[in-house]
Amino acid sequence: MTVRAAVVVFPGTNCERDCALVLERLGAGVELLWHTESDLHGADIVVLPGGFAHGDYLRTGAIARFSPVMDAVTTHARSGGLVIGICNGFQVLCEAGLLPGALRKNRGLSFLCRWIEVRVCNYGTPFTGRAEQGQTLRLPINHFEGGYYCDDSTLAELQENGQVTLRYEDNPNGSLEDIAGITNAAGNVLGLMPHPERACEALLGSEDGVVLLASMIDSALQAA
Amino acid sequence: MSRYLAKVDVMPKDGISDPQGQTIERALPALGLQGISSVRVGKSISLQIDAADEGDARRRVSEVCSRLLANPVIESFHVVVLPL
């Protein structure tokens, strides 16, 4: 069986081809899905890639949330289907209410484009099955609004449920509790600010992104 | 139906740090300005709406605010409605 991944493209998305290339190399069948589509064409995995959906006008992800495809993404997520939102995709998932909290401007108001290390904090998610105990991942970040924020009760829930999946080793953006990536309570939706799809070739500086993306494909295969 | 002008202010919620406001505040002493504090940066949005009356206009604009113009996790909003 081939895992099918739908990579959603909003106007202003710019990381969809990197995501598609990597997922294809990892064995998935990939379809780029324009945001006006109302159907996921049977995809097992939905990817919301990075970029500047709808120009990031008003707030990052605020307008993208109303794109027609998001109804199908929400239905897929609520029925347990795998969804990964990378960078701008994370922001869209928060705005859509599929993940709690919000992403704020970086502390220091600098656009950050560099390599960072994140620690895997939960090995039991569908996105971290290949991670080794205590493993850190070297991944690039590329964002202006990556400071994760939520209220105290939401943070307590995140920690209690093991939803904090990735933490920065050296917090670059003022993110609450060094949070770099979280899942929803059910664990099938992951949002993260770093770009795993840009860290899948040693030549480009790291292959650690494969840990997350190949784990996700493993999980989709097991679910099938 | 009458037409109303709505002015919406969207601000970072109380207690949420505002890096833009802090940066502006830190720049003020360089201008020789003293005694200014609590600088907060938000957005101002104006729109026109056809509604039965002022209350109806305010209610509908508030709904637009809570669903789109503001993110309730990090922002609060204030609506002023004026007849046109």
Side-chain angles (χ1 to χ4, degrees):
Chain A
M1 178 218 161
T2 303
V3 168
R4 282 178 294 181
V7 179
V8 176
V9 184
F10 300 97
T13 296
N14 61 17
C15 299
E16 72 276 17
R17 292 188 183 279
D18 290 10
C19 287
L21 181 74
V22 168
L23 292 172
E24 275 170 5
R25 286 188 185 169
L26 294 173
V30 180
E31 182 180 1
L32 296 180
L33 203 64
W34 185 236
H35 75 117
T36 54
E37 291 273 349
S38 55
D39 188 279
L40 300 178
H41 301 172
D44 305 296
I45 296 169
V46 174
V47 181
L48 302 185
F52 303 85
H54 295 271
D56 275 352
Y57 293 141
L58 189 62
R59 291 182 308 279
T60 55
I63 312 288
R65 170 190 153 202
F66 295 101
S67 278
V69 73
M70 287 308 294
D71 284 339
V73 173
T74 301
T75 303
H76 179 76
R78 300 253 191 257
S79 60
L82 294 174
V83 178
I84 185 170
I86 300 166
C87 197
N88 194 222
F90 185 11
Q91 295 159 343
V92 173
L93 288 173
C94 287
E95 283 283 341
L98 291 173
L99 289 173
L103 281 310
R104 304 168 53 228
K105 288 185 177 65
N106 298 338
R107 174 185 61 199
L109 294 177
S110 294
F111 189 98
L112 298 171
C113 180
R114 59 181 170 91
W115 291 91
I116 49 93
E117 300 262 341
V118 291
R119 182 168 296 279
V120 178
C121 304
N122 184 345
Y123 304 93
T125 81
F127 308 91
T128 50
R130 290 199 186 194
E132 288 163 23
Q133 203 74 23
Q135 186 170 9
T136 59
L137 306 176
R138 187 167 186 267
L139 301 172
I141 54 168
N142 189 223
H143 62 244
F144 183 55
E145 283 162 312
Y148 182 78
Y149 176 83
C150 63
D151 61 29
D152 291 344
S153 64
T154 306
L155 179 64
E157 272 175 39
L158 289 178
Q159 290 177 328
E160 211 164 286
N161 298 334
Q163 290 172 246
V164 178
T165 312
L166 302 171
R167 277 197 162 92
Y168 297 109
E169 286 284 270
D170 185 10
N171 191 338
N173 56 21
S175 201
L176 188 69
E177 293 285 317
D178 305 328
I179 288 173
I182 58 166
T183 65
N184 60 346
N188 61 303
V189 178
L190 172 71
L192 73 167
M193 287 313 297
H195 286 268
E197 81 282 8
R198 296 187 194 170
C200 292
E201 288 184 62
L203 186 65
L204 298 181
S206 169
E207 294 178 295
D208 291 351
V210 172
V211 171
L212 302 173
L213 299 175
S215 298
M216 176 177 76
I217 291 175
D218 292 348
S219 302
L221 275 171
Q222 283 161 17
Chain B
M1 282 292 194
S2 308
R3 179 158 289 191
Y4 295 87
L5 172 69
K7 305 279 271 182
V8 176
D9 280 336
V10 178
M11 296 297 293
K13 265 187 178 172
D14 288 346
I16 293 206
S17 75
D18 171 23
Q20 286 190 94
Q22 290 163 357
T23 304
I24 292 166
E25 197 166 320
R26 280 198 298 271
L28 292 173
L31 298 175
L33 299 169
Q34 307 296 330
I36 298 175
S37 62
S38 303
V39 178
R40 310 279 281 171
V41 177
K43 297 184 190 99
S44 174
I45 299 159
S46 78
L47 54 92
Q48 295 185 11
I49 182 167
D50 295 325
D53 54 42
E54 213 170 295
D56 180 40
R58 186 173 296 107
R59 189 180 49 74
R60 286 167 54 203
V61 173
S62 294
E63 191 188 333
V64 170
C65 289
S66 52
R67 292 187 60 196
L68 175 62
L69 300 182
N71 180 338
V73 177
I74 48 175
E75 294 170 324
S76 59
F77 62 86
H78 180 69
V79 177
V80 174
V81 171
L82 304 163
L84 277 179

